[in-house]
Amino acid sequence: MPRRRKRRRSVGFLNKAISVLVPVLAVCVVLAAFVVEYGGGQGTLPTWDELYDRLGIESSAPDRDLIASGDTSVSFLDVGQGDAVLICQDGEFCLIDAGTAESEESLLRSLESAGVEKLTYVVMTHPHADHAGGMAAVLETFPTETLILPQLEGLNEESATLERTLDAAQQCGTDTVEASTGDKYVLGTGQLEVLLAPTPEEAGDNLNNLSLCLRFTAGSFSFMDTGDAEEEVEEQLLERYWFGLDTDLLKAGHHGSNTSNTEAFLAAVRPEIVVASCGLDNDYGHPHAEVVERIQNIGAEFYRTDLDGTVTVVLRDGTLQVDGTAWENQEADQAA
C-alpha cells in the first residue's frame, strides 16, 4: 500500500510539472522566434537561414548575395505544389503568384532571405489557391505598390482566396489594376509585358485559361510565365505573336502538365532554360514525362523545384547562371 501511494504522488507531481513547463516552453519558443524574426542579423543574433544552417535544417530560401550579384535574377521559389516567381531588377522586386496557404510562412521567409523589403508589383496570374494562397499574407507583410490581377469582370464565382487578397490590398493601401493585353509595367531598367490577358468569357469553365501570360525583358534577356494557361491559350499566343515568342527562360506552363507545353509552343519559344514549379511526389504526376521529353528535345536545360529546391537564374555579364538550393544542401551534407 505505501508503494502505491508513493507512485500516485510521483505521477501527480510529474503531471503538475508538465502542466507548468509546457506553457513556459511555448512562451520561450514564441519569444525566440520573435527575436530571430525582428533582430536576426544584428550583432550576434542569427537570421533564420543562419539558424537553420547551425541546426542542420535544410532551407529552400534563395541567396540574397547571389541575387544581388547579377544584373537580373529570376527565382522560382520552392512552395510545394504551387507557383511563386520572384524577379529582381536593379534592386526592385516583382512577385508573380504566391504559392499555397500552407506554404505561406516558407514564402515569407524566402522573400525576406532574398532581400525583399518592399515589392513594386505582385501579380496574380489567376485566382487558384496554389497560385494565390499566400498572396494576402505577402501584401500584409511587405509594402506593395501595385497588385496586378487577371480580367475578373463577369467572373461567375469569386474564390475565397481572391476575396482575401482583395481585402488585404484594400486594407494595406495597395493599388489594384486588372491587366489588359499589351499592358507594360516598368521594373528598374526592365519591363513586364502582358502578352495576353484572357477574359472570363474566353476562359469559360477553365480558370487555368484565365491566366495572365507575361514576359519580362531586361536588355537582351527575356523570361516568360504563362501561369497555368493550357493548350488553347498557347495557340492564341502562337496566332498573335508566332516569331515574337523567342525567350531565354521559360516557366513550364501548369507545373509541367501535358495540358500545356505543346510541341508547337515550345518550338516557337525556343527557351534556353525551362523550370517547372511543382511539389515532391505530387498527386498530379507533374511534370509529366512527355513534357520533360519535349523540353529535352528542343535542347533546353530543365530544372524542377521538387528536386532542385528554389531555382535562381542570374544574368551576370551576359551569361546565365543557375543555382538550386537542393544542390547546396547536398553539398553541405557531403561535406559533413
Side-chain angles (χ1 to χ4, degrees):
M1 293 295 292
R3 288 184 179 177
R4 292 177 63 186
R5 284 197 296 272
K6 184 176 181 180
R7 189 181 298 121
R8 283 197 294 269
R9 284 197 298 271
S10 298
V11 172
F13 174 77
L14 182 60
N15 287 338
K16 288 181 180 178
I18 291 174
S19 67
V20 172
L21 286 174
V22 169
V24 170
L25 288 173
V27 171
C28 289
V29 169
V30 172
L31 287 174
F34 180 85
V35 170
V36 173
E37 182 71 24
Y38 295 99
Q42 301 177 25
T44 59
L45 287 174
T47 63
W48 281 114
D49 288 340
E50 291 169 340
L51 187 60
Y52 290 156
D53 187 51
R54 293 177 189 178
L55 295 174
I57 300 173
E58 294 186 353
S59 172
S60 62
D63 185 336
R64 75 168 62 197
D65 292 333
L66 176 65
I67 289 174
S69 70
D71 304 311
T72 307
S73 73
V74 181
S75 295
F76 301 81
L77 305 179
D78 182 7
V79 290
Q81 184 62 21
D83 267 21
V85 180
L86 181 68
I87 302 172
C88 178
Q89 181 69 40
D90 305 314
E92 293 189 29
F93 292 93
C94 169
L95 178 67
I96 302 175
D97 290 332
T100 65
E102 291 74 20
S103 65
E104 179 181 294
E105 291 302 321
S106 173
L107 172 61
L108 297 179
R109 285 197 301 270
S110 290
L111 293 176
E112 182 182 5
S113 295
V116 174
E117 295 181 356
K118 63 179 182 178
L119 290 155
T120 303
Y121 306 109
V122 169
V123 184
M124 178 191 294
T125 59
H126 64 296
H128 273 160
D130 59 332
H131 288 250
M135 197 160 285
V138 168
L139 297 175
E140 291 164 355
T141 304
F142 298 96
T144 302
E145 290 184 17
T146 306
L147 170 65
I148 302 173
L149 299 166
Q151 294 285 323
L152 300 174
E153 186 176 354
L155 191 64
N156 294 328
E157 185 177 347
E158 291 190 359
S159 68
T161 299
L162 176 58
E163 291 178 1
R164 285 196 302 272
T165 302
L166 295 176
D167 288 344
Q170 184 177 23
Q171 292 173 9
C172 297
T174 301
D175 290 337
T176 302
V177 297
E178 287 188 14
S180 298
T181 298
D183 284 353
K184 297 177 181 179
Y185 302 90
V186 175
L187 185 73
T189 55
Q191 179 178 265
L192 183 69
E193 179 183 3
V194 181
L195 296 177
L196 198 63
T199 66
E201 183 179 6
E202 291 169 334
D205 295 331
N206 188 353
L207 275 186
N208 287 336
N209 284 338
L210 189 67
S211 294
L212 294 177
C213 297
L214 309 164
R215 178 166 56 193
F216 175 76
T217 56
S220 61
F221 170 77
S222 57
F223 159 62
M224 188 182 298
D225 186 330
T226 60
D228 279 356
E230 299 188 0
E231 182 176 355
E232 300 87 347
V233 176
E234 290 182 353
E235 289 177 354
Q236 292 179 45
L237 287 169
L238 289 172
E239 291 174 3
R240 187 178 184 90
Y241 297 99
W242 189 240
F243 295 110
L245 291 176
D246 224 16
T247 300
D248 298 304
L249 175 62
L250 173 69
K251 185 194 75 68
H254 197 186
H255 317 287
S257 171
N258 57 15
T259 61
S260 310
N261 311 288
T262 62
E263 289 184 10
F265 182 71
L266 290 172
V269 176
R270 296 189 299 172
E272 181 179 336
I273 298 170
V274 180
V275 182
S277 183
C278 53
L280 186 63
D281 298 325
N282 63 83
D283 295 336
Y284 307 96
H286 294 155
H288 290 147
E290 55 267 48
V291 171
V292 176
E293 185 177 357
R294 290 173 199 163
I295 292 169
Q296 293 171 339
N297 286 342
I298 62 171
E301 297 178 25
F302 180 59
Y303 303 93
R304 43 194 290 181
T305 58
D306 60 337
L307 301 181
D308 300 311
T310 288
V311 177
T312 298
V313 180
V314 177
L315 177 66
R316 187 187 300 113
D317 299 325
T319 302
L320 292 177
Q321 173 187 339
V322 184
D323 177 82
T325 55
W327 311 341
E328 299 167 5
N329 292 328
Q330 290 168 4
E331 290 172 1
D333 290 342
Q334 291 170 359

